[in-house]
Amino acid sequence: MSVATLFTTSFRPEMAGLVLTVNGETRSIDAAPGAVLLDILRDDLELTGAKEACGRGECGACTVLVGGRSVLSCVTLAAVVNEPVETVEGLVSESLPLREAMADLGGFQCGYCTAGMVVRATELLRAGLPKDDDALAHAMAGNLCRCTGYRAILAAVRRVGQP
Amino acid sequence: MTFARIRHPEWEARTTGQMDYARDIKLKDLLVGKVLRCPYPAARIVQLDVEAARGAPGVVAVLVGTDLPDRNYLDYGQADRPSMARERVVWAGQEVAVLAAETEEQALAALALIRVTWERMPHVTSVAQALAVGAPAVHPDRAVDNVATQASRSFGDPASRGAATRQIGAAYGCGPQHHACMEPHSALAQWDAANGTLNLWTPTQSPRNIAAEIAQMLGLAPAQVRLRRSGVGGDFGSRVKAGDIEVLAAHLSMKTDRPVSIRLSRAEDFAYAKRQHETWVDVTSHYTDEGRILFREGRVTVDNGAFIQGGSNQMNYCSILLGSHYRLAGAQIEGRSVYTNLRPGGAFRGAGGPQAIFAIESQMDEIAAQLGVDPIVLRKRNLLPSGSETITGWKIATTAAAECLDEVGRRLDWDSARATGANPDVVRGVGVALAMHVSGAIVTPATGKAGAVIEIGQNGGVILASGCADPGTGEYAVIVQLCAKELGINPGDIELRAMDTATTPFDPGAGSSRGTMVTGGAILAASREIAEELRRQAAEMAGCAAQDVVLSGGSARAGAKEFTLGEVAAAHPFASGGTLRIERETAVSIPPVPMTHTDSGHGHLSPAYAFAAHGVEVEVDRATGAVRVLRVVAVHDAGTVINPVGAEGQVVGGVAMGLGMALGEQLLWQDGRPHVTGFADYAMPRADGVPPVEVVFVGAADPAGPMGAKSISEVALMPVAAAVANAVANATGVRLRDLPMTPDKVLAGLADRPRTHPAPIWRRPEHWWSAAVRQAYPSGLFAALDRYGPSRSTSKVPSIASVERPEQTETALALLARPGAAPLGGGTDLLPARSQGLAAPEHLVQLAGCNDLRGIEDHDGVLTFGAAVTLADAQAYLSRATLPGDRALAATLDAIATPQIRNMATLAGNLCQQNRCWFLRSGMNCFKRGGVGRPCYAVTGDHRYFHSVVDAGRCQSVTPSDLATMLTALDAEFVIRGPKGQHVLSAAAFHTGPGENALRPGEIVTALRIPAAARSDHAAFGKLSLSSDGFAIVSAAVRLRLDADGQVQTARIVLGGVAPTPWRAASSEERLLARVPLETDIAAAADAWTTRAHPLRDNEWKLAAGAGLLKRVLSQALDNSRTVNAAET
Ligand code: FES
Ligand code: FES
């Protein structure tokens, strides 16, 4: 059953079947209609790479790609997701150059924001980075980091995104 | 000297999401713990009834204060903090009951069943109130005058003041910052009854402190509590001592015999976890005409909150540093730490050091100005030389402070940079500040010692065990690198055991920058010892002298002979089972200075002292008061730099935190109740708020540090705020002494600040009613409404029963006709609003699936957006726009929230978002939430930034949508469909109140139309906010149509953030109509609207800022038109 068919009945029992494509795999989950994507990923699918650091769309730690776009999984209802989901776990090889650059330049410290940073940067790298450094910083401004002061993260993204 | 750059040993786990933090760990049969907290700053528990909660579904245990042993946390020795309140409650958030249930929903439901009868008590919610004569005592049994601890310290020669010819004195304030670790605090406890041990996973940089404290609180032996290894999502001092949930989780686990986890939400972390202690430093410098500072007087006042925790330490270190920085002849420093009924603080990066440095370094520039001496020159006249001793007894073996200052001067091009500032509106300036700091304050014997274990197996595998933890400080990289260097192996070949108190040797934990010094020292000693043993053994095997053996590349070479380390280790006489093991505990070679317990504070506090000079260049917008930091040069004397990647990261991270401290971060309370509960309320720097930072290391190896290293992490925070304040003063002449330097303070300081003149209230009968209510607030009305006002709000939000995703608008409208149904856009506001009790729909109808709501069309010049188009899609569509109206709209979209939000949020959703008032969003039962019987907390609370200055009624909040402001200026129309069919509403008529709109039940916006004419008019948008993603303090959207002669034919000037709805500044428009706008007309128009204003007590500055912003946006609109026209011709 696809998520799109969920709306055909007007009343729903407590738990509903939910089908998500996550990191290339199709997964069926029993979930409450109001279940939030982040909780599904972390609790049901045991993908704990995406973190909850605010739970209200303000920090970017829970960033995942839905249909290739970075979204905040803490304020995304799983029931409305009808495109493939990619989490940091699914991007491990694609992000290797970026992650190496982060390790070499100091692009992470405690690591709590890092998954969100990697996912957001992946979206930007796929599209081609903005040329201007200020624009790159602005494009990464949805992800809070308390440790690094960002400069090394931006440098790492720039290093791998340089043609 | 620096070491090679290595990757952090956990780099892969930390970058792939594989690192398990405490809240990622799943144990079988895990229970969820929740805490009931007191809502009042001071109260007595008259009755506490938990019976209903005990019987609630899923509840396994409920505990109240009297169920727990009557013990207090030792913290730093003052032992004034119980694990839960028993009878008296002394801060709004103190723990009153805790329960464990099978699921989070059950735990929350049960919490709501606990009945408490409170007797509210008099309270003090600021240091000033606490110290007032006759103030109620927070702890009558401990401190009737609320002074928790105090010190009076006399250093050096008291008579030296007499030789000074000049003096200058002022008070400097550092507001309460929040650690804001990205991992909110959490604790997972598992009682292992069979072994009588408690397993605990909780983020901390000081595992043994936590384990020992928890054991003490539970009445267990220290070895019975095992703190386990996990990721640590930041610390910055907040978790060096136990928080409040570790012990509670442990009690619940022991009681239920099941694992229990308590996880604070971000809102709880902001409201109830530790914080920086607000600190005031009064300093008077006595100096000579030549600029020698001879004597310093100081008084440090620290707000502890309701318990001391780190407050006394903050006061102590701050007061000692005041006597230590620069070559003084004498100092007299008084200090107090004061109880208030606020949430208690905790250690914070630098522990009083940043506050002392902010005061001293600001004052150094004030002295330089008085004497007409260059600030760098003045500092260099007063430096402590290497080999000197401060009047406080600190032995400064090495210092490169002079080089730090010179390097800043050189890199900032100091002399010419200080002279700039031609543009009258946006001025630039540079500033410098110098900090010094301990490298590990040795205050007890335990803080100076650490252990290390190294094992080498016969297969050559090396295991390094250390009791330290790495919350992002890079400690693991440092110790692995130290060990690898001695053994001649690759850092990557070492298996690191860390943090777990059962499998690692003693370590005092990080704190006061002792990580590298103390822990690193132990690792180095053990590594050297085992290397020595290996060489001795290899020499014996090769038949040569030990000094001829070289360890490198994983083997021991002696001349032509070569043995693997495993072979050598296995052959060593101490080896057992083929493994050579060395365990060493080392202590730094200086005696402890128990600064918290002696009044003198005199003594050599640390093995070495680090120095750092930071220089910054700022740009100050004199029109709005906004300060932007353009670049930072951070020069550190850190001795040997062991891990350059980590060291640079610590500096840049410290700078970013310092910029937050300087410019925006502050926790706030409304009569003791916290209302900063999210990042939206707390202006922490984002990626586009931290400028390039040049990090430079200078100086020589220090004889005391491991390999000559000194500290970095805390000293990196210390000079930042003063450097920024000095640069602001250099740019504007305004000396700001009260952090953070938000735009209101900058504007207030400008001598020639723009004056605004709201017309007197007697001339404006339409405001009489609200003026009367406001007047009555302080004299009892507010208190009465707050305490007794009836509320219609219910805390119950039903769970979501269905989510529909129709593909046709028709279907959506039918679904929305059901009771309890609401449209869902991107969900970015609706879901948080639900959790804040501000929206309670049961049936959600997502509109993004309706293809007819997702189109963008440019037809006959009219630009039409489907209502469910995301902000990002609209932005992308407009990215190549040429019409000025379109470009202004694109600029508006770019200024909204963050990229991820723009990817999700829809245009109509943005228009329909609720207001962002921090009182409302933090859960206060205000007028907006609870109805006419409730007060508006903004009238008496902190309304400097986000509340109305024009036309507010009972609720002072504003409509937050920048998009609405711009669309109103563009004369946009909204197509609305509902049960009664379709109609069109102008943007100007859409909003009816703060976050309120004209949609009737069942209606939705389906499209937004921008008329052709408006798109080609001159237009621009501008916004003043506290951070790049922040909501508008004030925003301005402008559209002007000029005729062939350049006369203004049509004008739309709409301001956001100033009124309950996007507000058309008609009087400003009139000033432009039928004129060819000259500079003076623009200025007059920008000011004109302010006479209509009716500001609150502290937000009149928004008129000046709004006028300044509007002037800029008007000029920009006209300029843009000129450039566009020029491009066309
Ligand atoms: S956890 Fe989702 S944005 Fe912060
Ligand atoms: S690395 Fe710690 S929050 Fe970014």
Side-chain angles (χ1 to χ4, degrees):
Chain A
M1 183 179 82
S2 98
V3 182
T5 60
L6 277 177
F7 69 89
T8 50
T9 55
S10 64
F11 190 74
R12 212 155 306 290
E14 254 287 288
M15 298 298 252
L18 182 69
V19 179
L20 291 174
T21 306
V22 180
N23 299 331
E25 273 175 56
T26 306
R27 315 281 298 255
S28 311
I29 307 118
D30 269 350
V36 165
L37 178 59
L38 178 62
D39 295 338
I40 299 285
L41 294 173
R42 290 178 53 85
D43 299 340
D44 296 276
L45 304 181
E46 305 206 338
L47 295 167
T48 54
K51 302 294 180 216
E52 179 172 314
C54 76
R56 55 190 226 192
E58 295 170 355
C59 77
C62 65
T63 302
V64 300
L65 300 179
V66 173
R69 288 172 174 241
S70 54
V71 303
L72 304 170
S73 60
C74 73
V75 286
T76 300
L77 288 175
V80 304
V81 174
N82 63 348
E83 289 174 289
V85 178
E86 292 167 276
T87 71
V88 70
E89 290 90 345
L91 300 173
V92 165
S93 28
E94 180 179 351
S95 67
L96 180 64
L98 171 65
R99 294 186 296 103
E100 284 179 328
M102 289 174 93
D104 291 337
L105 298 174
F108 70 88
Q109 286 178 24
C110 78
Y112 208 75
C113 72
T114 310
M117 292 284 181
V118 168
V119 174
R120 170 64 185 156
T122 298
E123 184 195 21
L124 294 177
L125 287 166
R126 285 180 186 173
L129 296 187
K131 299 235 167 7
D132 174 53
D133 281 343
D134 287 344
L136 177 60
H138 188 56
M140 289 295 292
N143 295 70
L144 280 171
C145 173
R146 189 51 153 174
C147 301
T148 63
Y150 306 103
R151 302 306 304 183
I153 298 173
L154 298 176
V157 177
R158 182 60 83 193
R159 180 183 278 187
V160 294
Q162 212 76 281
Chain B
M1 172 186 175
T2 55
F3 279 55
R5 308 176 72 94
I6 67 158
R7 289 182 184 166
H8 191 281
E10 291 181 333
W11 79 270
E12 282 185 279
R14 290 192 195 200
T15 60
T16 53
Q18 299 311 302
M19 170 68 79
D20 274 341
Y21 298 80
R23 39 179 83 203
D24 300 328
I25 293 165
K26 290 216 175 58
L27 299 178
K28 203 166 153 295
D29 294 333
L30 184 66
L31 294 172
V32 177
K34 288 279 170 200
V35 183
L36 181 76
R37 297 171 183 274
C38 175
Y40 307 115
R44 212 169 61 78
I45 303 173
V46 180
Q47 210 185 2
L48 175 56
D49 178 1
V50 297
E51 278 323 301
R54 280 217 168 93
V59 171
V60 186
V62 184
L63 295 172
V64 299
T66 45
D67 295 330
L68 306 185
D70 191 6
R71 288 168 187 269
N72 283 356
Y73 289 92
L74 290 182
D75 287 330
Y76 292 88
Q78 295 91 356
D80 59 354
R81 174 168 68 119
S83 48
M84 277 205 278
R86 292 171 154 250
E87 197 214 336
R88 283 174 61 85
V89 188
V90 288
W91 64 282
Q94 194 175 353
E95 315 76 22
V96 173
V98 64
L99 58 81
E102 301 288 347
T103 68
E104 170 143 15
E105 292 69 38
Q106 289 172 331
L108 288 172
L111 218 49
L113 297 175
I114 298 177
R115 292 279 160 264
V116 194
T117 313
W118 305 100
E119 179 191 328
R120 288 163 75 168
M121 310 228 298
H123 53 264
V124 288
T125 54
S126 69
V127 165
Q129 283 177 15
L131 295 177
V133 182
V138 177
H139 300 287
D141 49 333
R142 286 182 176 266
V144 279
D145 58 355
N146 289 321
V147 175
T149 62
Q150 52 189 322
S152 175
R153 309 180 188 286
S154 181
F155 301 112
D157 175 9
S160 55
R161 172 196 322 221
T165 50
R166 297 172 175 240
Q167 71 174 66
I168 184 172
Y172 303 84
C174 299
Q177 224 179 338
H178 184 48
H179 304 83
C181 302
M182 287 309 290
E183 180 189 12
H185 200 48
S186 65
L188 166 61
Q190 179 196 41
W191 174 242
D192 174 354
N195 293 306
T197 50
L198 180 88
N199 289 303
L200 184 66
W201 292 261
T202 188
T204 175
Q205 63 186 23
S206 300
R208 270 168 185 77
N209 275 350
I210 306 300
E213 182 77 283
I214 304 308
Q216 182 274 128
M217 290 297 281
L218 298 174
L220 300 176
Q224 283 180 281
V225 175
R226 176 178 180 188
L227 193 128
R228 306 283 295 257
R229 183 172 178 176
S230 68
V232 181
D235 189 314
F236 312 112
S238 61
R239 331 211 228 217
V240 294
K241 299 281 180 183
D244 56 3
I245 53 176
E246 299 90 326
V247 163
L248 300 182
H251 276 300
L252 286 171
S253 180
M254 292 172 80
K255 171 101 182 170
T256 60
D257 223 347
R258 288 173 62 178
V260 177
S261 125
I262 303 180
R263 302 167 180 174
L264 297 188
S265 68
R266 176 58 58 186
E268 289 173 312
D269 198 78
F270 265 115
Y272 309 131
K274 292 172 190 170
R275 62 169 171 109
Q276 167 75 281
H277 300 90
E278 184 163 8
T279 301
W280 282 93
V281 183
D282 285 85
V283 188
T284 301
S285 298
H286 299 261
Y287 57 102
T288 68
D289 293 346
E290 292 73 46
R292 275 281 296 119
I293 322 291
L294 298 181
F295 193 89
R296 191 176 287 143
E297 277 174 280
R299 175 189 270 278
V300 179
T301 309
V302 170
D303 169 19
N304 285 320
F307 301 110
I308 297 176
Q309 302 199 168
S312 192
N313 268 21
Q314 170 113 346
M315 179 273 283
N316 278 300
Y317 184 62
C318 186
S319 63
I320 296 173
L321 186 56
L322 282 174
S324 305
H325 196 25
Y326 294 112
R327 188 160 41 94
L328 304 174
Q332 177 67 41
I333 317 288
E334 316 294 324
R336 293 173 295 186
S337 82
V338 180
Y339 283 127
T340 60
N341 291 105
L342 292 177
R343 169 255 298 258
F348 194 107
R349 197 175 198 169
Q355 293 71 16
I357 295 296
F358 176 61
I360 296 170
E361 290 300 291
S362 296
Q363 196 159 82
M364 285 304 274
D365 265 41
E366 294 175 66
I367 295 170
Q370 281 210 353
L371 291 172
V373 175
D374 179 89
I376 290 184
V377 172
L378 178 76
R379 285 176 172 81
K380 286 177 72 177
R381 278 184 200 161
N382 289 282
L383 293 180
L384 294 154
S386 291
S388 64
E389 182 172 328
T390 66
I391 55 172
T392 54
W394 296 7
K395 300 189 175 88
I396 312 295
T398 60
T399 166
E403 287 145 85
C404 290
L405 288 166
D406 287 342
E407 191 64 24
V408 165
R410 202 172 64 72
R411 293 196 178 235
L412 275 187
D413 199 5
W414 182 253
D415 295 323
S416 51
R418 277 182 81 74
T420 60
N423 180 341
D425 234 15
V426 180
V427 289
R428 288 190 177 192
V430 289
V432 69
L434 176 73
M436 77 182 298
H437 190 48
V438 293
S439 301
I442 308 304
V443 292
T444 62
T447 50
K449 66 176 189 195
V453 175
I454 301 173
E455 287 178 11
I456 304 179
Q458 54 192 349
N459 59 358
V462 178
I463 295 174
L464 169 65
S466 162
C468 73
D470 183 344
T473 50
E475 190 67 19
Y476 292 168
V478 167
I479 61 176
V480 160
Q481 204 162 6
L482 285 172
C483 178
K485 182 156 195 297
E486 293 303 316
L487 298 183
I489 57 177
N490 260 326
D493 294 340
I494 294 176
E495 180 189 332
L496 178 66
R497 286 198 192 133
M499 201 169 169
D500 188 328
T501 55
T503 61
T504 64
F506 177 83
D507 189 273
S512 77
S513 293
R514 78 169 83 82
T516 297
M517 181 64 65
V518 178
T519 305
I523 303 298
L524 191 59
S527 306
R528 286 191 171 150
E529 192 157 337
I530 203 163
E532 196 49 46
E533 292 301 331
L534 291 170
R535 273 194 292 267
R536 190 171 314 159
Q537 179 61 31
E540 202 162 304
M541 290 158 73
C544 65
Q547 62 264 33
D548 296 332
V549 177
V550 177
L551 303 180
S552 96
S555 47
R557 280 172 237 264
K561 299 220 174 83
E562 181 171 345
F563 312 97
T564 67
L565 289 191
E567 277 177 276
V568 182
H572 195 284
F574 296 168
S576 114
T579 298
L580 179 63
R581 182 174 193 275
I582 292 269
E583 173 157 12
R584 280 295 161 265
E585 186 165 283
T586 56
V588 297
S589 59
I590 63 166
V593 179
M595 64 167 181
T596 37
H597 305 298
T598 63
D599 215 25
S600 91
H602 188 278
H604 183 39
L605 190 56
S606 168
Y609 299 88
F611 293 81
H614 288 193
V616 304
E617 181 172 14
V618 302
E619 189 172 84
V620 185
D621 184 340
R622 292 169 44 89
T624 61
V627 176
R628 199 158 71 94
V629 179
L630 303 175
R631 60 186 291 220
V632 178
V633 175
V635 189
H636 280 243
D637 165 18
T640 308
V641 174
I642 295 177
N643 173 18
V645 180
E648 284 160 18
Q650 290 302 306
V651 173
V652 181
V655 165
M657 197 178 261
L659 293 177
M661 169 185 176
L663 295 174
E665 294 181 26
Q666 55 185 333
L667 292 173
L668 298 163
W669 290 267
Q670 210 282 350
D671 196 26
R673 287 167 290 192
H675 60 78
V676 170
T677 54
F679 292 116
D681 308 327
Y682 188 76
M684 202 163 113
R686 289 180 175 266
D688 50 2
V690 180
V693 182
E694 286 169 64
V695 181
V696 187
F697 292 105
V698 298
D702 190 279
M707 297 284 189
K710 305 199 266 192
S711 69
I712 297 174
S713 159
E714 293 181 312
V715 71
L717 169 67
M718 292 167 54
V720 183
V724 175
N726 291 339
V728 169
N730 177 234
T732 62
V734 178
R735 170 57 56 187
L736 295 174
R737 303 190 183 90
D738 179 17
L739 299 180
M741 295 177 270
T742 47
D744 51 322
K745 295 178 188 167
V746 178
L747 274 192
L750 290 171
D752 55 342
R753 69 174 174 276
R755 305 280 161 182
T756 49
H757 303 284
I761 191 73
W762 54 266
R763 292 223 312 249
R764 297 186 293 166
E766 75 278 14
H767 287 314
W768 286 358
W769 165 243
S770 54
V773 173
R774 282 186 203 176
Q775 287 236 304
Y777 260 48
S779 38
L781 179 62
F782 170 76
L785 291 174
D786 180 31
R787 202 172 271 223
Y788 306 112
S791 165
R792 59 169 162 72
S793 114
T794 59
S795 52
K796 272 213 163 26
V797 175
S799 55
I800 294 171
S802 72
V803 180
E804 318 283 352
R805 203 170 185 285
E807 287 170 3
Q808 297 296 328
T809 307
E810 282 313 321
T811 326
L813 289 171
L815 290 166
L816 284 166
R818 280 188 303 173
L824 173 67
T828 55
D829 185 40
L830 185 69
L831 295 183
R834 270 182 60 86
S835 66
Q836 291 155 347
L838 298 176
E842 270 183 274
H843 304 287
L844 294 178
V845 182
Q846 206 220 13
L847 302 179
C850 302
N851 287 327
D852 46 343
L853 296 181
R854 304 209 48 170
I856 306 177
E857 204 174 278
D858 190 345
H859 189 66
D860 277 349
V862 178
L863 182 59
T864 306
F865 290 102
V869 168
T870 62
L871 304 189
D873 282 344
Q875 236 184 317
Y877 179 82
L878 293 170
S879 62
R880 267 188 283 284
T882 50
L883 295 173
D886 291 3
R887 291 178 14 176
L889 181 59
T892 309
L893 292 167
D894 194 51
I896 295 174
T898 64
Q900 285 96 319
I901 295 277
R902 295 195 293 273
N903 271 347
M904 303 173 70
T906 62
L907 296 174
N910 180 281
L911 298 174
C912 295
Q913 67 186 305
Q914 297 209 31
N915 45 344
R916 295 282 163 173
C917 168
W918 49 22
F919 305 107
L920 175 72
R921 295 275 178 166
S922 64
M924 290 188 186
N925 193 358
C926 66
F927 170 80
K928 175 93 179 165
R929 181 187 290 263
V932 289
R934 303 297 310 163
C936 170
Y937 289 88
V939 176
T940 53
D942 194 315
H943 48 234
R944 282 173 293 166
Y945 316 109
F946 301 121
H947 293 87
S948 255
V949 288
V950 194
D951 285 356
R954 283 283 310 277
C955 168
Q956 305 298 324
S957 70
V958 301
T959 292
S961 168
D962 294 326
L963 181 61
T965 305
M966 189 71 232
L967 289 177
T968 306
L970 290 172
D971 276 1
E973 293 173 335
F974 303 153
V975 181
I976 291 165
R977 283 181 66 183
K980 299 214 177 94
Q982 176 170 319
H983 65 282
V984 175
L985 204 60
S986 73
F990 185 72
H991 282 102
T992 54
E996 294 156 17
N997 58 54
L999 291 177
R1000 284 167 303 207
E1003 284 186 340
I1004 56 169
V1005 177
T1006 58
L1008 295 67
R1009 292 203 295 240
I1010 301 164
R1015 295 172 66 196
S1016 25
D1017 288 341
H1018 310 305
F1021 175 81
K1023 168 169 163 178
L1024 174 67
S1025 56
L1026 290 178
S1027 67
S1028 73
D1029 69 315
F1031 291 97
I1033 294 171
V1034 53
S1035 65
V1038 161
R1039 177 170 67 85
L1040 302 171
R1041 183 174 308 156
L1042 309 186
D1043 64 16
D1045 305 326
Q1047 278 200 357
V1048 177
Q1049 231 176 29
T1050 310
R1052 287 287 179 282
I1053 297 177
V1054 184
L1055 299 176
V1058 300
T1061 64
W1063 189 76
R1064 206 160 142 196
S1067 48
S1068 296
E1069 293 173 358
E1070 275 156 29
R1071 299 296 281 262
L1072 294 174
L1073 286 173
R1075 287 168 199 251
V1076 177
L1078 303 174
E1079 190 85 2
T1080 46
D1081 301 310
I1082 293 174
D1087 276 345
W1089 65 278
T1090 61
T1091 56
R1092 287 270 326 265
H1094 184 203
L1096 292 157
R1097 183 193 62 221
D1098 296 326
N1099 69 1
E1100 190 172 336
W1101 76 279
K1102 284 176 64 162
L1103 305 182
L1109 178 74
L1110 178 53
K1111 186 170 151 219
R1112 170 115 9 104
V1113 174
L1114 283 167
S1115 316
Q1116 201 187 320
L1118 292 164
D1119 278 359
N1120 282 354
S1121 67
R1122 281 176 208 129
T1123 20
V1124 172
N1125 290 342
E1128 280 166 0
T1129 52

